[in-house]
Amino acid sequence: MATTAVHVSDVPNLDQVPENTASFSAYTKQIPTDLSNGVDVSPKFVVIGHRGHGMNALQSSDRRMTAFKENSILSFNKAANHSVDYIEFDVQVTKDDVAIIFHDDVILHQEHGAIFENRVTDLTRDEFFSYGPQREAEKAGKTLVRKVNGNVVGWHVESDDYSCTLQEAFEIVNPKVGFNIELKFDDHVNYTQDHLIHVLQVVLKVVYEYAKDRPILFSSFQPDAALLMKKLQQIYPVYFLTNGGTQLYNDVRRNSLEEAKRVALEGGLDGIVSEVKGVFRNPSAVREIKESNLSLLTYGKLNNFPETVHVQHLMGVDGVIVDLVEEITSAVDEMKTRKGESGGIELSFLLNLISQVVQH
């Protein structure tokens, strides 16, 4: 796709939804934390299940990382069995304008020993559904494989499931959990403004029709997509995803927490989602982001350790996206019951942790 300048200020508000912008901390008040008695403990430290119950790390020796097929109804509902506030998943739009849930930009399958690769957004919905487990037991789907660190490996999990659409997620997933909808775009493609708007409108159509009272927040690594989503609607919070400087891109807006804050403030976004290492390498950014009236969430492998999650809570981070849902939700639940206590974590641990992270 050709590169064109995206001037968000010139984009008309294409829908006529009422303006009701809310910060993330305020929006989470709509999440029922105890359905039996209606107790609401907001504002709260938020736990979000990454791709549902956790991403599939196919080469990991940790069986928890291959327990359930990521980004599936099964994984979403398994996460909902725990005290997660949201589940995060990746939404793309097929060639025939169906919002589907899948992380990778390309989808691979193996046939007669050969590997075939297709861009997800070049497929129709039915073509996308032909991969992996099928809805009809008598049918066999294409054998899914995945590229991991340059190697093609079988996509083997203990509990598999078929792929799904965004609409199906709204219809089938436990209504107690919110949806963190990541708007997925290829880092290596330059998108036109018209294309971005079209994709976002396809997603919004599903959200408006099926979200009902379910809490929703949008996020994207694509800065123009995030800015446009905020321009197109004001009902749901929009967050800018960033690596926080742990990786560098041609688009400087993606290269630091300072740039992320600038993008969020200039575009009226509600917050930032940063790789957790970016936060630990620049801890003062937490205070600066919060003083700017932005919310801050984090993601990354370090969020699978209760100690680092606890440290972030002490630093003022608003929530974490995690793979080990059961372990981290249990740790956070315990942390909440011990509110006001140090929980055994001392400043020396925090300083040592930051030092270790900065060196790697």
Side-chain angles (χ1 to χ4, degrees):
M1 298 178 182
T3 305
T4 60
V6 178
H7 303 290
V8 176
S9 60
D10 297 333
V11 178
N13 205 347
L14 299 182
D15 53 64
Q16 300 300 317
V17 297
E19 295 192 12
N20 185 22
T21 305
S23 68
F24 181 79
S25 58
Y27 199 74
T28 56
K29 293 181 180 180
Q30 298 183 32
I31 302 174
T33 57
D34 188 335
L35 296 179
S36 62
N37 58 20
V39 173
D40 185 352
V41 296
S42 304
K44 61 192 294 185
F45 185 78
V46 177
V47 179
I48 302 173
H50 187 209
R51 305 183 200 173
H53 200 272
M55 67 174 287
N56 293 151
L58 299 177
Q59 291 185 313
S60 173
S61 59
D62 189 337
R63 293 181 61 184
R64 295 173 297 180
M65 303 301 289
T66 54
F68 308 105
K69 181 67 164 293
E70 70 176 38
N71 277 337
S72 68
I73 299 294
L74 172 66
S75 183
F76 299 156
N77 279 326
K78 287 294 183 180
N81 289 337
H82 306 285
S83 55
V84 293
D85 302 293
Y86 285 75
I87 53 173
E88 180 269 354
F89 52 77
D90 311 275
V91 170
Q92 303 185 58
V93 172
T94 61
K95 185 169 64 174
D96 53 345
D97 287 343
V98 177
I100 54 92
I101 298 176
F102 193 76
H103 174 270
D104 300 355
D105 298 316
V106 297
I107 190 166
L108 288 75
H109 78 279
Q110 186 172 19
E111 188 175 337
H112 305 303
I115 303 299
F116 299 87
E117 178 178 308
N118 286 288
R119 183 174 294 277
V120 172
T121 52
D122 287 342
L123 302 173
T124 65
R125 182 195 66 171
D126 290 345
E127 288 170 339
F128 172 70
F129 281 161
S130 70
Y131 292 82
Q134 299 295 291
R135 287 164 167 74
E136 299 80 12
E138 67 277 7
K139 290 186 177 181
K142 296 175 182 177
T143 303
L144 272 176
V145 293
R146 195 176 208 176
K147 192 172 290 185
V148 180
N149 297 325
N151 301 314
V152 175
V153 300
W155 200 324
H156 303 302
V157 294
E158 292 185 25
S159 298
D160 213 338
D161 197 17
Y162 53 78
S163 298
C164 66
T165 65
L166 178 59
Q167 177 180 330
E168 288 175 317
F170 277 117
E171 293 175 327
I172 304 173
V173 174
N174 190 320
K176 80 169 188 175
V177 293
F179 284 176
N180 171 190
I181 300 174
E182 181 182 336
L183 305 163
K184 194 78 167 63
F185 295 93
D186 191 330
D187 290 339
H188 305 291
V189 175
N190 294 311
Y191 296 97
T192 66
Q193 175 177 298
D194 287 346
H195 179 80
L196 290 175
I197 291 174
H198 177 75
V199 169
L200 299 181
Q201 290 286 52
V202 170
V203 174
L204 280 171
K205 184 176 185 298
V206 179
V207 173
Y208 288 155
E209 187 169 352
Y210 295 97
K212 299 180 181 178
D213 295 327
R214 190 189 299 270
I216 304 294
L217 71 91
F218 292 109
S219 62
S220 186
F221 282 105
Q222 222 291 351
D224 294 317
L227 294 169
L228 285 166
M229 180 56 89
K230 193 62 182 180
K231 179 70 177 179
L232 294 174
Q233 61 82 43
Q234 290 80 42
I235 295 178
Y236 303 111
V238 181
Y239 282 52
F240 180 35
L241 271 160
T242 177
N243 287 294
T246 60
Q247 279 182 276
L248 296 181
Y249 297 87
N250 291 331
D251 189 335
V252 297
R253 295 174 296 178
R254 300 185 58 181
N255 288 342
S256 68
L257 281 171
E258 290 80 6
E259 278 294 319
K261 184 181 76 169
R262 183 185 65 79
V263 169
L265 289 174
E266 291 181 0
L269 305 185
D270 301 272
I272 296 166
V273 186
S274 174
E275 215 289 345
V276 60
K277 287 185 179 181
V279 169
F280 283 144
R281 288 174 176 173
N282 187 8
S284 63
V286 177
R287 174 179 50 80
E288 294 168 2
I289 289 169
K290 300 306 291 295
E291 287 178 351
S292 299
N293 201 30
L294 295 169
S295 293
L296 177 62
L297 306 175
T298 68
Y299 71 92
K301 293 179 181 178
L302 286 176
N303 281 354
N304 292 322
F305 297 93
E307 295 84 359
T308 56
V309 171
H310 196 161
V311 166
Q312 290 178 76
H313 177 59
L314 296 176
M315 293 172 68
V317 172
D318 295 299
V320 290
I321 300 174
V322 306
D323 292 303
L324 302 184
V325 168
E326 181 176 359
E327 291 79 1
I328 300 303
T329 52
S330 296
V332 170
D333 288 344
E334 181 180 356
M335 180 181 75
K336 291 173 181 176
T337 64
R338 300 164 62 179
K339 189 173 183 180
E341 301 178 18
S342 67
I345 296 182
E346 300 178 352
L347 180 60
S348 59
F349 173 85
L350 173 59
L351 295 175
N352 181 63
L353 174 64
I354 293 175
S355 175
Q356 293 296 318
V357 171
V358 168
Q359 294 176 31
H360 293 85

